[in-house]
Amino acid sequence: QVQLEESGGGLVQPGGSLRLSCATSGFTLEDYAITWFREGPGKEREGVSCLVFRDGRTEDADSVKGRFSISRNNAENTVYLQMNGLKTEDTAVYYCAVNPYRLCVLSDPQVYDYWGQGTQVTVSS
């Protein structure tokens, strides 16, 4: 069965960096796209960065372009989100999720069938 597990969250000062990990198992990565979502205080869940495994295409939300980068470790079946230049507004629970359509869909969480349980990122001085 499909399993996703996020890790790497924590407390960081503004301007700092974190790398989140999403360990995957139970499915063929090439058949899916994966997206990092976040849900901040008082905000709706939003997609921030997406990767299509089959061809390596990526898509980033405007709010994180130039700061966040999604990547994959093929040998470990793990996807990463490198977050640089963190801002207070980046504080949120971060989730990874997959869809079977091999398309980056940042705007509609309902497209995604499988989710991890999330990891908390707090940006504060």
Side-chain angles (χ1 to χ4, degrees), residues 1-117:
Q1 60 184 24
V2 174
Q3 292 185 325
L4 306 171
E5 183 176 4
E6 304 94 336
S7 62
L11 175 65
V12 64
Q13 294 183 333
S17 298
L18 284 173
R19 188 179 73 164
L20 306 183
S21 298
C22 178
T24 72
S25 63
F27 65 102
T28 301
L29 296 182
E30 298 297 328
D31 293 335
Y32 290 83
I34 191 164
T35 297
W36 286 95
F37 287 85
R38 67 184 181 186
E39 188 169 338
K43 300 179 180 179
E44 295 183 349
R45 187 169 297 186
E46 63 172 343
V48 297
S49 192
C50 176
L51 168 68
V52 181
F53 291 116
R54 179 165 291 182
D55 58 19
R57 288 177 293 157
T58 62
E59 185 74 26
D60 298 319
D62 290 342
S63 59
V64 305
K65 285 182 178 177
R67 300 189 298 120
F68 291 10
S69 179
I70 190 169
S71 62
R72 173 189 178 184
N73 184 309
N74 292 327
E76 298 179 355
N77 294 324
T78 301
V79 175
Y80 302 98
L81 183 67
Q82 179 66 47
M83 305 187 295
N84 299 321
L86 284 164
K87 304 175 181 179
T88 301
E89 64 195 52
D90 295 318
T91 295
V93 177
Y94 284 74
Y95 303 87
C96 60
V98 296
N99 76 65
Y101 307 110
R102 298 182 292 276
L103 294 172
C104 278
V105 181
L106 295 176
S107 61
D108 189 3
Q110 296 184 30
V111 168
Y112 296 82
D113 293 329
Y114 301 100
W115 296 77
Q117 293 190 337

